[in-house]
Amino acid sequence: MVMRLLRWQTYCRLMMRRTSSIATCIKLHHGLTYSTTPGDEVEDMFILLNEVKQQIPSVAAVSSGAIASDYQRLRVESVCSRLGLVSLAYLWKQDQSLLLGDMIKAGIVAITVKVAAMGLDPSKHLGKEISWLEPHLHKLKELYGLNVCGEGGEYETLTLDCPLFKFDAMNFFQNAHIVLDEFQIVLHSKDPICPVGILHPLAFHLEKRAETVPLGKSNKNDDEFDLVCEVQGDCQQRCENISMSNHPASKFVDVNSQELQISRTKMDNTFSISCWLQDSSKTSGDLQADLEYVLMKIELQLAECCYSWENVLYIHLYIADMNKFAVANETYIRFITQDKCRFGVPSRSTVELPLSQVGLGMAYIEVLVANDETKRVLHVQSISDWAPSCIGPYSQATLHKDILYMAGQLGLDPPTMLLSSGGPTVELKQALENSEAIAKCFNCSIATSAILFVIYCSASMNESDRIALEKTNLFIKEMKLNDSDNRCSSDVFDPIFLYVLVPDLPKRALVEVKPVLYVLGNKGTLNNKAGEVSYVAQDYCGFQHENWHDECLQKCVVPGRLCAAVLSVTQDIVGKICSKFLLQDSAGCNTLIENQIEGIAKFCVYLLDAFLLENRFSWDDVTTFRLYFATRLHISHAELLLIFTRVFSEFAGQNPKRRTTTDPIFNLVPVLGAGRSANSVDGGLLSCEVFARKL
């Protein structure tokens, strides 16, 4: 009994220390990220869990009751990450009102041991069961916005009984519960509006509970709860010898400068850098080595600009073989780590591309970089019912200024992390629901705030399955109708859609959704229509505006803030650009000759320049410029790069005000097809994605 009392008093001291540390954190406005801090309570948990791992090697995960507290969740995730454990947080982001009721129905008997909120009086509400307090908590929620589960620190509880309580430590009782014999009320603050009080337990005993099944308790096999192990030992001494495994990047082998290529947009504040290996026949064809080359090159480019990985907002990871995804991920995490990213790890999208078919190496990287420290990152590593976890060093979403860049979302069922069964439309709907869950963390919705959806489609789908993906817009409209908040719906227009056909996706998924959102403020109104500003497009190669141009251009504009456009060129569009654009080669395949591709490039530059000018933007405002080209063009990446570079140089030469750079400002992405609809990807030859903003 003395030992149990000592343990109880230790628990109370830890609880009070936790309260103090949380208050200090809030007072000093510290960030939510956690780094190893000697003496912190988190290190006590690390020591204990490490001892558990030593004595019970089969332990693979840790479950916590985090509901809405990032402070708690991030610290549990930090410990789990360091110990190679999975963090489970199945209560995360659950509706607190429903959750409180479910806990009571499940037979959880918990009393308040701390109150610290308006409407909670230490003299009245300390030591009371949550079942008794439930109506009062809901009333305070309506009056003051109180978190009914206490997630804002409004109250803390101690569980005296629950279905998991089977035996006491000495096996004296079966089905026992805790009874407090003596306790002390400590008034921590006498604030007349919001007093703070703590119940300090002094003595307790165990009693055998009545053999009744609490309301709502499931009649599970008792064996499910019988495996309870007590861990003993000198945890501190064992942990002193722990050292985190360091995975230094492999030694960077010099690569011919003509093989490593770079492109970069021209905006100074926010810009994209891409790196790839040209002429793959001269490389080893090894994914790990190729990825190390391009990651090191990106790292050097960032350093030349006095930046590092912490300035990166988003990473596109393109690989040639999804079967080697694990190798790519292991290489990736040696360069991009939590320690290198003080403000949070960047979000990421990973897809397989036909890189070798166009003369490239096994890996291709594109990063979006910002020169400030204002980004906000959402990185939830715990498995929960909320949305898929990101256990690796990449986040669910990154908010920079007013743009939310979301990681590529698969149709994963969050609690199981398995792909939803039922085909591509089921995966698509689940991916959109996952995206919506993430968007709500930033007080927005994909139904009202989305600017652009890039939807990657796996080549393993047949044509009829891809046509079914046309339901994307329907799913989003249903979300808008079901959204009770319907935030700023009058200011939101339909987003842009770009469907991209790729060889494969992670986990053999059929669909990956990558949304970009504008988090609406008071500085602009989202608009899909052309601005009312008069403009004169630059005459280039005899192109003039024609009505059919609108058929291939989707656009979304926030006047004075940002503009986005997707220009899709199909065989029908090419027919309008070039009178004779198809020749039969000796093998009987349709190919576009070089001068006709150059004509298409000039048309794309003309139309995009007109769009930017129309909305008072310039090429200097462009942060992202991707050109998706289909392998059916039968042209290498190097040849197409040369054509577009020549066209841009010629175009810039006609306007002295335009800056020119030695590196291209666009990123050429080889794909199997792309278009404005899932039905058009097979006929899509070239699609341009442009994003420009003013900061």
Side-chain angles (χ1 to χ4, degrees):
M1 178 66 73
V2 174
M3 181 62 68
R4 286 200 295 268
L5 182 59
L6 287 174
R7 289 176 181 173
W8 190 278
Q9 291 173 338
T10 300
Y11 160 78
C12 295
R13 286 197 298 270
L14 285 173
M15 186 184 71
M16 295 182 69
R17 196 166 106 198
R18 174 178 181 269
T19 303
S20 176
S21 65
I22 293 176
T24 302
C25 176
I26 296 173
K27 182 178 180 180
L28 298 178
H29 303 286
H30 285 168
L32 289 175
T33 56
Y34 175 79
S35 57
T36 303
T37 307
D40 192 284
E41 62 169 345
V42 178
E43 300 311 307
D44 296 338
M45 179 167 58
F46 176 80
I47 292 169
L48 174 62
L49 289 177
N50 179 70
E51 186 67 24
V52 170
K53 279 198 66 177
Q54 296 290 332
Q55 297 193 28
I56 314 175
S58 60
V59 169
V62 173
S63 181
S64 68
I67 301 171
S69 170
D70 284 303
Y71 181 93
Q72 180 189 50
R73 175 185 59 79
L74 286 166
R75 279 148 178 77
V76 174
E77 290 176 352
S78 173
V79 171
C80 288
S81 177
R82 290 156 60 191
L83 291 173
L85 296 169
V86 175
S87 173
L88 305 176
Y90 286 112
L91 305 186
W92 183 249
K93 295 297 182 183
Q94 295 275 2
D95 183 285
Q96 293 189 41
S97 296
L98 297 177
L99 192 57
L100 182 64
D102 288 343
M103 287 188 285
I104 295 171
K105 291 177 182 177
I108 295 176
V109 179
I111 62 170
T112 52
V113 291
K114 174 195 169 187
V115 293
M118 186 182 299
L120 290 178
D121 188 338
S123 63
K124 295 180 181 179
H125 301 121
L126 274 175
K128 296 296 188 291
E129 292 186 12
I130 56 172
S131 57
W132 183 85
L133 276 175
E134 184 183 17
H136 185 61
L137 294 174
H138 284 297
K139 181 179 178 181
L140 296 181
K141 175 187 175 184
E142 296 298 323
L143 290 174
Y144 311 121
L146 174 137
N147 293 279
V148 295
C149 286
E151 283 298 286
E154 293 92 342
Y155 67 90
E156 301 284 351
T157 60
L158 171 67
T159 300
L160 301 180
D161 195 11
C162 76
L164 289 177
F165 285 9
K166 297 290 293 182
F167 303 97
D168 71 296
M170 305 301 293
N171 284 328
F172 290 153
F173 295 103
Q174 290 189 11
N175 299 319
H177 66 108
I178 300 170
V179 177
L180 288 185
D181 298 319
E182 185 180 352
F183 57 85
Q184 178 184 10
I185 300 295
V186 178
L187 195 60
H188 190 71
S189 170
K190 296 182 180 181
D191 188 282
I193 298 177
C194 183
V196 178
I198 296 174
L199 184 150
H200 190 136
L202 299 176
F204 72 97
H205 71 276
L206 299 179
E207 282 186 4
K208 187 175 182 179
R209 75 164 76 96
E211 295 295 332
T212 58
V213 178
L215 179 65
K217 178 186 173 184
S218 60
N219 293 315
K220 294 187 177 181
N221 191 326
D222 287 346
D223 292 341
E224 294 183 20
F225 302 120
D226 282 351
L227 185 57
V228 179
C229 303
E230 184 173 359
V231 174
Q232 297 177 341
D234 191 349
C235 305
Q236 180 66 46
Q237 181 178 358
R238 197 183 289 268
C239 275
E240 286 176 354
N241 298 321
I242 296 175
S243 60
M244 294 301 296
S245 58
N246 187 17
H247 299 285
S250 300
K251 184 178 179 181
F252 183 70
V253 181
D254 287 336
V255 178
N256 190 309
S257 60
Q258 294 180 350
E259 296 174 8
L260 271 173
Q261 302 289 322
I262 283 285
S263 69
R264 174 182 163 168
T265 53
K266 295 192 292 184
M267 191 175 187
D268 293 328
N269 297 320
T270 308
F271 54 89
S272 297
I273 302 177
S274 301
C275 184
W276 61 91
L277 275 164
Q278 202 77 65
D279 195 1
S280 61
S281 62
K282 295 181 181 179
T283 67
S284 64
D286 178 73
L287 175 60
Q288 179 177 344
D290 287 3
L291 184 54
E292 286 176 354
Y293 295 153
V294 295
L295 284 169
M296 181 65 77
K297 183 67 172 178
I298 291 284
E299 202 167 74
L300 292 174
Q301 287 288 311
L302 291 170
E304 287 180 8
C305 303
C306 298
Y307 300 144
S308 66
W309 290 112
E310 72 180 25
N311 297 102
V312 175
L313 306 175
Y314 202 98
I315 296 179
H316 286 85
L317 175 60
Y318 304 130
I319 58 177
D321 186 358
M322 195 57 70
N323 291 320
K324 298 180 180 179
F325 175 79
V327 174
N329 216 35
E330 289 171 5
T331 307
Y332 179 93
I333 63 178
R334 294 204 299 265
F335 286 84
I336 297 95
T337 65
Q338 297 276 4
D339 292 338
K340 292 181 180 180
C341 304
R342 290 182 300 159
F343 315 114
V345 289
S347 303
R348 189 182 83 180
S349 172
T350 304
V351 298
E352 179 182 320
L353 295 181
L355 300 178
S356 58
Q357 294 182 41
V358 295
L360 297 179
M362 299 287 287
Y364 191 156
I365 292 285
E366 178 188 344
V367 299
L368 181 63
V369 186
N371 70 346
D372 56 52
E373 302 176 356
T374 61
K375 74 175 183 180
R376 285 177 51 204
V377 166
L378 176 66
H379 185 201
V380 179
Q381 301 180 68
S382 300
I383 296 176
S384 68
D385 288 320
W386 164 70
S389 64
C390 287
I391 298 176
Y394 48 91
S395 60
Q396 279 90 353
T398 300
L399 178 66
H400 180 244
K401 306 297 184 182
D402 45 17
I403 305 300
L404 182 63
Y405 304 94
M406 201 175 294
Q409 296 298 310
L410 304 179
L412 293 172
D413 176 48
T416 63
M417 291 297 288
L418 299 175
L419 284 171
S420 299
S421 59
T425 54
V426 177
E427 284 190 29
L428 173 65
K429 187 173 183 181
Q430 184 65 60
L432 292 172
E433 290 175 356
N434 294 340
S435 301
E436 178 68 0
I438 294 169
K440 285 184 176 179
C441 292
F442 294 88
N443 298 317
C444 61
S445 167
I446 63 170
T448 58
S449 303
I451 304 167
L452 168 69
F453 286 97
V454 176
I455 302 174
Y456 296 108
C457 308
S458 171
S460 61
M461 278 191 291
N462 57 42
E463 186 176 354
S464 60
D465 285 336
R466 288 204 301 272
I467 293 175
L469 296 181
E470 298 292 340
K471 294 182 180 179
T472 305
N473 208 3
L474 178 61
F475 289 151
I476 294 172
K477 287 180 179 179
E478 288 177 356
M479 285 184 178
K480 186 183 296 185
L481 292 174
N482 295 331
D483 183 7
S484 58
D485 296 333
N486 212 4
R487 304 172 185 86
C488 305
S489 58
S490 61
D491 292 337
V492 177
F493 289 73
D494 293 333
I496 298 171
F497 291 94
L498 174 62
Y499 293 81
V500 181
L501 185 62
V502 297
D504 203 359
L505 294 168
K507 296 182 178 289
R508 297 292 184 264
L510 299 175
V511 182
E512 179 176 327
V513 177
K514 188 186 67 172
V516 179
L517 284 70
Y518 175 58
V519 182
L520 286 168
N522 298 317
K523 297 182 179 180
T525 302
L526 199 60
N527 188 0
N528 289 81
K529 300 179 181 179
E532 299 178 357
V533 183
S534 61
Y535 72 99
V536 178
Q538 180 178 344
D539 184 23
Y540 180 52
C541 294
F543 287 112
Q544 294 181 352
H545 179 73
E546 298 184 43
N547 292 332
W548 62 266
H549 290 179
D550 296 331
E551 298 175 14
C552 53
L553 187 65
Q554 300 179 78
K555 48 196 174 184
C556 189
V557 179
V558 179
R561 300 289 293 167
L562 64 87
C563 67
V566 168
L567 169 58
S568 302
V569 178
T570 62
Q571 290 185 356
D572 292 338
I573 297 297
V574 172
K576 297 176 181 180
I577 299 172
C578 309
S579 58
K580 296 180 180 180
F581 67 101
L582 285 178
L583 294 178
Q584 294 292 323
D585 65 9
S586 58
C589 299
N590 289 329
T591 59
L592 288 169
I593 61 176
E594 182 176 327
N595 64 335
Q596 292 168 331
I597 294 180
E598 186 168 316
I600 296 171
K602 291 178 178 179
F603 169 76
C604 292
V605 172
Y606 159 77
L607 199 56
L608 292 174
D609 181 71
F611 164 72
L612 291 170
L613 187 60
E614 170 188 4
N615 293 286
R616 292 186 174 179
F617 287 85
S618 72
W619 290 102
D620 291 343
D621 299 317
V622 171
T623 61
T624 302
F625 184 14
R626 294 187 195 93
L627 300 171
Y628 302 89
F629 70 99
T631 52
R632 70 174 63 90
L633 285 174
H634 300 289
I635 188 171
S636 71
H637 185 279
E639 292 170 326
L640 194 59
L641 179 66
L642 184 62
I643 291 173
F644 268 92
T645 301
R646 184 167 64 242
V647 167
F648 266 98
S649 296
E650 177 186 289
F651 180 73
Q654 294 185 12
N655 190 336
K657 295 182 179 181
R658 298 183 185 277
R659 290 190 298 160
T660 58
T661 60
T662 55
D663 296 327
I665 67 169
F666 51 86
N667 180 25
L668 286 176
V669 183
V671 295
L672 301 180
R676 63 188 300 162
S677 67
N679 192 31
S680 66
V681 293
D682 286 324
L685 298 176
L686 185 74
S687 290
C688 306
E689 177 192 346
V690 175
F691 193 93
R693 64 187 302 190
K694 293 184 182 294
L695 298 176

